[in-house]
Amino acid sequence: MTKLKIVIQITMPDARSRSQAMALAAKANGVSSIGVTGDLKDRLEVVGEGIDIICLVSCLRKKLCHAEILKVEEVKPEEKKKEEKKPEEPKPCGCPGPCLCAGGYWQPPVPMVLCEPEPPAGACHIM
């Protein structure tokens, strides 16, 4: 099945009628998205697969009076552009002196030793 985009013009003077129209369209089989469009907010845009357009418009006419199909078009799937992957260039190493990381050798970092004088006996160790 192909995905269709249907634009229906409906008399929707207030927010309540817009919400009724969207609720009716949401109940239809195959609907994936709904939106109210147009300058006067008088168009209902329905997107989905396998939608019975005639049944949808008939239900809208029964509940909301005037409904007219303006446009039915096929939605083309978005084509993703394949980006060419460039080989990653080796990043410069942060090793001092000659770099042994690139050759598969790894030097462990030198442990840091802090020399602190021992506190005098009887001094408070909490602080």
Side-chain angles (χ1 to χ4, degrees):
M1 295 225 143
T2 59
K3 203 169 204 179
L4 296 177
K5 176 178 162 184
I6 306 157
V7 179
I8 304 168
Q9 185 173 8
I10 305 172
T11 306
M12 298 185 286
D14 56 357
R16 181 175 179 221
S17 61
R18 285 186 204 107
S19 66
Q20 283 180 339
M22 291 180 74
L24 284 170
K27 291 178 184 177
N29 290 335
V31 174
S32 61
S33 69
I34 307 164
V36 177
T37 59
D39 294 336
L40 302 174
K41 303 284 186 191
D42 63 341
R43 295 180 183 186
L44 187 68
E45 188 174 289
V46 181
V47 179
E49 291 183 27
I51 301 172
D52 187 0
I53 302 168
I54 304 301
C55 180
L56 176 62
V57 172
S58 297
C59 290
L60 290 169
R61 284 181 182 157
K62 285 179 187 176
K63 298 287 182 175
L64 300 171
C65 293
H66 179 74
E68 178 183 347
I69 301 171
L70 294 180
K71 180 172 40 171
V72 177
E73 63 183 17
E74 184 177 341
V75 177
K76 297 177 183 175
E78 295 179 14
E79 294 180 17
K80 296 181 181 178
K81 295 181 180 178
K82 295 181 181 179
E83 296 180 14
E84 295 179 16
K85 293 185 178 180
K86 296 180 181 177
E88 294 183 16
E89 295 180 13
K91 296 179 181 178
C93 181
C95 298
C99 183
L100 299 176
C101 297
Y105 301 104
W106 181 74
Q107 290 179 325
V110 178
M112 184 178 225
V113 179
L114 296 176
C115 298
E116 294 182 8
E118 300 243 349
C124 181
H125 294 286
I126 296 175
M127 296 193 157

PDB file of all heavy atoms in Angstrom, residues 31-47:
ATOM      1  N   VAL A  31      -4.918   5.842   9.512  1.00  0.00           N
ATOM      2  CA  VAL A  31      -4.459   7.221   9.671  1.00  0.00           C
ATOM      3  C   VAL A  31      -3.225   7.239  10.568  1.00  0.00           C
ATOM      4  O   VAL A  31      -3.219   6.654  11.642  1.00  0.00           O
ATOM      5  CB  VAL A  31      -5.567   8.111  10.267  1.00  0.00           C
ATOM      6  CG1 VAL A  31      -5.043   9.496  10.563  1.00  0.00           C
ATOM      7  CG2 VAL A  31      -6.746   8.185   9.317  1.00  0.00           C
ATOM      8  N   SER A  32      -2.152   7.897  10.103  1.00  0.00           N
ATOM      9  CA  SER A  32      -0.934   7.993  10.907  1.00  0.00           C
ATOM     10  C   SER A  32      -0.701   9.401  11.456  1.00  0.00           C
ATOM     11  O   SER A  32      -0.089   9.558  12.498  1.00  0.00           O
ATOM     12  CB  SER A  32       0.284   7.543  10.104  1.00  0.00           C
ATOM     13  OG  SER A  32       0.448   8.354   8.979  1.00  0.00           O
ATOM     14  N   SER A  33      -1.194  10.445  10.764  1.00  0.00           N
ATOM     15  CA  SER A  33      -1.070  11.804  11.293  1.00  0.00           C
ATOM     16  C   SER A  33      -2.194  12.688  10.774  1.00  0.00           C
ATOM     17  O   SER A  33      -2.730  12.459   9.686  1.00  0.00           O
ATOM     18  CB  SER A  33       0.286  12.415  10.936  1.00  0.00           C
ATOM     19  OG  SER A  33       0.368  12.657   9.563  1.00  0.00           O
ATOM     20  N   ILE A  34      -2.516  13.700  11.589  1.00  0.00           N
ATOM     21  CA  ILE A  34      -3.612  14.622  11.272  1.00  0.00           C
ATOM     22  C   ILE A  34      -3.143  16.026  11.593  1.00  0.00           C
ATOM     23  O   ILE A  34      -2.399  16.238  12.545  1.00  0.00           O
ATOM     24  CB  ILE A  34      -4.851  14.326  12.138  1.00  0.00           C
ATOM     25  CG1 ILE A  34      -5.254  12.869  12.035  1.00  0.00           C
ATOM     26  CG2 ILE A  34      -6.023  15.212  11.760  1.00  0.00           C
ATOM     27  CD1 ILE A  34      -6.197  12.450  13.120  1.00  0.00           C
ATOM     28  N   GLY A  35      -3.585  16.984  10.805  1.00  0.00           N
ATOM     29  CA  GLY A  35      -3.249  18.373  11.090  1.00  0.00           C
ATOM     30  C   GLY A  35      -4.276  19.316  10.507  1.00  0.00           C
ATOM     31  O   GLY A  35      -4.916  19.021   9.507  1.00  0.00           O
ATOM     32  N   VAL A  36      -4.453  20.467  11.166  1.00  0.00           N
ATOM     33  CA  VAL A  36      -5.349  21.509  10.666  1.00  0.00           C
ATOM     34  C   VAL A  36      -4.463  22.545  10.004  1.00  0.00           C
ATOM     35  O   VAL A  36      -3.530  23.062  10.607  1.00  0.00           O
ATOM     36  CB  VAL A  36      -6.166  22.133  11.812  1.00  0.00           C
ATOM     37  CG1 VAL A  36      -7.034  23.259  11.286  1.00  0.00           C
ATOM     38  CG2 VAL A  36      -7.023  21.081  12.483  1.00  0.00           C
ATOM     39  N   THR A  37      -4.726  22.824   8.728  1.00  0.00           N
ATOM     40  CA  THR A  37      -3.899  23.756   7.965  1.00  0.00           C
ATOM     41  C   THR A  37      -4.781  24.809   7.304  1.00  0.00           C
ATOM     42  O   THR A  37      -5.997  24.818   7.461  1.00  0.00           O
ATOM     43  CB  THR A  37      -3.099  23.016   6.876  1.00  0.00           C
ATOM     44  OG1 THR A  37      -4.008  22.345   6.006  1.00  0.00           O
ATOM     45  CG2 THR A  37      -2.152  22.004   7.486  1.00  0.00           C
ATOM     46  N   GLY A  38      -4.153  25.657   6.526  1.00  0.00           N
ATOM     47  CA  GLY A  38      -4.865  26.690   5.793  1.00  0.00           C
ATOM     48  C   GLY A  38      -4.844  28.015   6.541  1.00  0.00           C
ATOM     49  O   GLY A  38      -4.647  28.062   7.761  1.00  0.00           O
ATOM     50  N   ASP A  39      -5.041  29.092   5.811  1.00  0.00           N
ATOM     51  CA  ASP A  39      -5.040  30.420   6.413  1.00  0.00           C
ATOM     52  C   ASP A  39      -6.198  30.592   7.390  1.00  0.00           C
ATOM     53  O   ASP A  39      -6.057  31.220   8.432  1.00  0.00           O
ATOM     54  CB  ASP A  39      -5.120  31.495   5.328  1.00  0.00           C
ATOM     55  CG  ASP A  39      -3.878  31.511   4.450  1.00  0.00           C
ATOM     56  OD1 ASP A  39      -2.825  31.050   4.942  1.00  0.00           O
ATOM     57  OD2 ASP A  39      -3.972  31.976   3.299  1.00  0.00           O
ATOM     58  N   LEU A  40      -7.338  30.026   7.057  1.00  0.00           N
ATOM     59  CA  LEU A  40      -8.519  30.156   7.903  1.00  0.00           C
ATOM     60  C   LEU A  40      -8.713  28.959   8.823  1.00  0.00           C
ATOM     61  O   LEU A  40      -9.760  28.832   9.455  1.00  0.00           O
ATOM     62  CB  LEU A  40      -9.766  30.336   7.026  1.00  0.00           C
ATOM     63  CG  LEU A  40      -9.741  31.531   6.081  1.00  0.00           C
ATOM     64  CD1 LEU A  40     -10.949  31.517   5.160  1.00  0.00           C
ATOM     65  CD2 LEU A  40      -9.701  32.823   6.876  1.00  0.00           C
ATOM     66  N   LYS A  41      -7.720  28.078   8.884  1.00  0.00           N
ATOM     67  CA  LYS A  41      -7.796  26.840   9.681  1.00  0.00           C
ATOM     68  C   LYS A  41      -9.041  26.042   9.289  1.00  0.00           C
ATOM     69  O   LYS A  41      -9.764  25.528  10.123  1.00  0.00           O
ATOM     70  CB  LYS A  41      -7.835  27.150  11.187  1.00  0.00           C
ATOM     71  CG  LYS A  41      -6.690  27.940  11.697  1.00  0.00           C
ATOM     72  CD  LYS A  41      -5.477  27.075  11.829  1.00  0.00           C
ATOM     73  CE  LYS A  41      -4.363  27.878  12.488  1.00  0.00           C
ATOM     74  NZ  LYS A  41      -3.108  27.247  12.444  1.00  0.00           N
ATOM     75  N   ASP A  42      -9.266  25.946   7.977  1.00  0.00           N
ATOM     76  CA  ASP A  42     -10.454  25.256   7.488  1.00  0.00           C
ATOM     77  C   ASP A  42     -10.122  23.992   6.699  1.00  0.00           C
ATOM     78  O   ASP A  42     -10.984  23.412   6.057  1.00  0.00           O
ATOM     79  CB  ASP A  42     -11.284  26.197   6.613  1.00  0.00           C
ATOM     80  CG  ASP A  42     -10.548  26.652   5.367  1.00  0.00           C
ATOM     81  OD1 ASP A  42      -9.300  26.536   5.353  1.00  0.00           O
ATOM     82  OD2 ASP A  42     -11.203  27.132   4.428  1.00  0.00           O
ATOM     83  N   ARG A  43      -8.869  23.568   6.762  1.00  0.00           N
ATOM     84  CA  ARG A  43      -8.465  22.374   6.020  1.00  0.00           C
ATOM     85  C   ARG A  43      -7.899  21.331   6.965  1.00  0.00           C
ATOM     86  O   ARG A  43      -7.092  21.646   7.839  1.00  0.00           O
ATOM     87  CB  ARG A  43      -7.433  22.732   4.958  1.00  0.00           C
ATOM     88  CG  ARG A  43      -8.027  23.638   3.921  1.00  0.00           C
ATOM     89  CD  ARG A  43      -7.066  24.022   2.876  1.00  0.00           C
ATOM     90  NE  ARG A  43      -7.722  24.955   1.974  1.00  0.00           N
ATOM     91  CZ  ARG A  43      -7.202  25.414   0.883  1.00  0.00           C
ATOM     92  NH1 ARG A  43      -5.979  25.055   0.541  1.00  0.00           N
ATOM     93  NH2 ARG A  43      -7.868  26.250   0.128  1.00  0.00           N
ATOM     94  N   LEU A  44      -8.316  20.107   6.739  1.00  0.00           N
ATOM     95  CA  LEU A  44      -7.841  18.987   7.535  1.00  0.00           C
ATOM     96  C   LEU A  44      -6.910  18.161   6.656  1.00  0.00           C
ATOM     97  O   LEU A  44      -7.291  17.730   5.568  1.00  0.00           O
ATOM     98  CB  LEU A  44      -9.036  18.141   7.989  1.00  0.00           C
ATOM     99  CG  LEU A  44      -8.756  17.018   8.963  1.00  0.00           C
ATOM    100  CD1 LEU A  44      -8.334  17.581  10.302  1.00  0.00           C
ATOM    101  CD2 LEU A  44      -9.990  16.155   9.137  1.00  0.00           C
ATOM    102  N   GLU A  45      -5.681  17.984   7.109  1.00  0.00           N
ATOM    103  CA  GLU A  45      -4.685  17.232   6.364  1.00  0.00           C
ATOM    104  C   GLU A  45      -4.478  15.888   7.057  1.00  0.00           C
ATOM    105  O   GLU A  45      -4.074  15.826   8.208  1.00  0.00           O
ATOM    106  CB  GLU A  45      -3.373  18.013   6.337  1.00  0.00           C
ATOM    107  CG  GLU A  45      -2.338  17.428   5.435  1.00  0.00           C
ATOM    108  CD  GLU A  45      -1.124  18.325   5.356  1.00  0.00           C
ATOM    109  OE1 GLU A  45      -1.217  19.393   4.744  1.00  0.00           O
ATOM    110  OE2 GLU A  45      -0.091  17.931   5.934  1.00  0.00           O
ATOM    111  N   VAL A  46      -4.785  14.805   6.333  1.00  0.00           N
ATOM    112  CA  VAL A  46      -4.719  13.456   6.886  1.00  0.00           C
ATOM    113  C   VAL A  46      -3.681  12.665   6.099  1.00  0.00           C
ATOM    114  O   VAL A  46      -3.703  12.657   4.869  1.00  0.00           O
ATOM    115  CB  VAL A  46      -6.099  12.760   6.802  1.00  0.00           C
ATOM    116  CG1 VAL A  46      -6.037  11.379   7.392  1.00  0.00           C
ATOM    117  CG2 VAL A  46      -7.166  13.588   7.479  1.00  0.00           C
ATOM    118  N   VAL A  47      -2.763  11.986   6.811  1.00  0.00           N
ATOM    119  CA  VAL A  47      -1.731  11.177   6.170  1.00  0.00           C
ATOM    120  C   VAL A  47      -1.832   9.763   6.720  1.00  0.00           C
ATOM    121  O   VAL A  47      -1.984   9.569   7.927  1.00  0.00           O
ATOM    122  CB  VAL A  47      -0.320  11.750   6.446  1.00  0.00           C
ATOM    123  CG1 VAL A  47       0.748  10.884   5.800  1.00  0.00           C
ATOM    124  CG2 VAL A  47      -0.220  13.175   5.958  1.00  0.00           C
TER     125      VAL A  47
END
